[in-house]
Amino acid sequence: MRIAIMQPYVMPYLGYFQMVAAVDEFVLLDDVNFIKKGWIHRNRILLNGEPHGITIPIAGMSQNKWIKDSMVADTDDWRPKLLVTLQHAYAKAPFHAEVYPFLERIINRKDWSIADMAEESLLWVVERLGLPVKVLRSSQLGLGEGLRAQERIVAIAKGRGATTYINSIGGWELYEPGPFQAEGMELRFIKMGDAPYAQWPGQPHVPYLSMIDVLMFCSPEQARALLPLHTLEPKVATKTVSA
């Protein structure tokens, strides 16, 4: 059984969803500290042919709060501005009529955390693309409590009965295969390959944008065809040289 464990992000880039599609269970690591300058509540869309940053404001944003306790700001000023930006960016995109109503719904919803918003968006994409993956939240599993970093990841994966743990290539320096192998698991890192798709005619493709962009321009079938465009990289265990 393949498992991945990652922090929740709202409509992250295609590579994140390639990892979701590559596993049987995907665990949202929501009971760890919020990262202020990370991508949990930020992303990029295509606006006027260029990458454009978007942000979901967080009330009382603090790195001392867990992600699941970081609440989406209930003020009304940012919501219409973000929706206008999305409309301006994608009103003429081929799948705007299917995707925008969902974005409008989650952006206008109040009284929920950024983890809730991320989970809702993830589940919607999983359903739209028909992915046979089970989505869980670490805060509801009770696995690896009191452990940190790689020790906790190993504990969660072992507790779920995983045989393979898949992580983003960005975590290459953070994880070593030894602890996973000791629990009977393989460690693999997913690396996104070239995955171009048609955006606006006559303009060069802009990669690494929010999944919003993929879904605005691609049918579910076209988006699913992008998911296998990756490699799974093994990492050789570090050998200790005796004196």
Side-chain angles (χ1 to χ4, degrees):
M1 194 270 284
R2 290 185 169 187
I3 192 171
I5 304 167
M6 285 290 292
Q7 294 169 341
Y9 301 88
V10 176
M11 284 295 197
Y13 83 124
L14 176 63
Y16 189 99
F17 286 94
Q18 289 183 334
M19 181 164 47
V20 173
V23 298
D24 303 294
E25 290 190 357
F26 191 85
V27 178
L28 293 167
L29 193 64
D30 64 336
D31 51 354
V32 294
N33 290 81
F34 183 88
I35 301 172
K36 276 188 175 182
K37 295 183 179 181
W39 292 94
I40 295 169
H41 67 131
R42 299 188 302 125
N43 219 296
R44 302 187 310 159
I45 61 171
L46 187 62
L47 183 64
N48 299 324
E50 299 289 338
H52 176 82
I54 58 173
T55 301
I56 306 295
I58 304 298
M61 185 166 54
S62 171
Q63 295 192 160
N64 295 320
K65 290 182 180 179
W66 280 351
I67 298 171
K68 73 181 187 69
D69 298 324
S70 298
M71 304 300 291
V72 174
D74 266 356
T75 54
D76 290 326
D77 56 334
W78 65 272
R79 290 184 168 88
K81 292 179 182 178
L82 178 53
L83 290 171
V84 166
T85 298
L86 290 170
Q87 283 281 46
H88 182 63
Y90 295 112
K92 295 182 180 180
F95 296 97
H96 171 272
E98 298 175 25
V99 176
Y100 181 79
F102 169 75
L103 299 176
E104 185 176 37
R105 177 164 63 82
I106 64 168
I107 289 169
N108 281 329
R109 180 171 169 178
K110 298 184 178 182
D111 300 320
W112 64 345
S113 71
I114 195 67
D116 297 328
M117 191 180 199
E119 181 183 34
E120 184 83 1
S121 64
L122 174 59
L123 291 172
W124 186 80
V125 176
V126 164
E127 181 179 2
R128 180 165 174 80
L129 301 189
L131 304 181
V133 60
K134 185 175 184 178
V135 178
L136 305 165
R137 285 172 69 156
S138 59
S139 61
Q140 298 170 352
L141 296 178
L143 295 171
E145 294 177 346
L147 300 177
R148 295 177 60 82
Q150 178 169 275
E151 288 184 339
R152 182 154 190 237
I153 297 300
V154 171
I156 294 173
K158 178 184 177 183
R160 294 302 303 170
T163 55
T164 302
Y165 174 69
I166 297 177
N167 199 86
S168 166
I169 195 69
W172 183 270
E173 300 299 329
L174 300 177
Y175 299 106
E176 291 296 331
F180 291 93
Q181 292 172 354
E183 300 295 347
M185 291 181 281
E186 292 183 301
L187 171 64
R188 293 290 185 270
F189 293 89
I190 191 166
K191 182 179 181 181
M192 181 178 167
D194 291 334
Y197 52 92
Q199 292 168 318
W200 299 119
Q203 296 185 6
H205 179 256
V206 181
Y208 306 113
L209 301 176
S210 165
M211 195 65 177
I212 292 171
D213 191 78
V214 177
L215 297 176
M216 286 288 189
F217 289 109
C218 297
S219 68
E221 294 76 18
Q222 291 169 331
R224 277 200 303 271
L226 301 173
L227 299 178
L229 303 179
H230 66 261
T231 57
L232 289 175
E233 308 286 342
K235 185 176 183 180
V236 178
T238 303
K239 295 181 179 180
T240 303
V241 180
S242 57

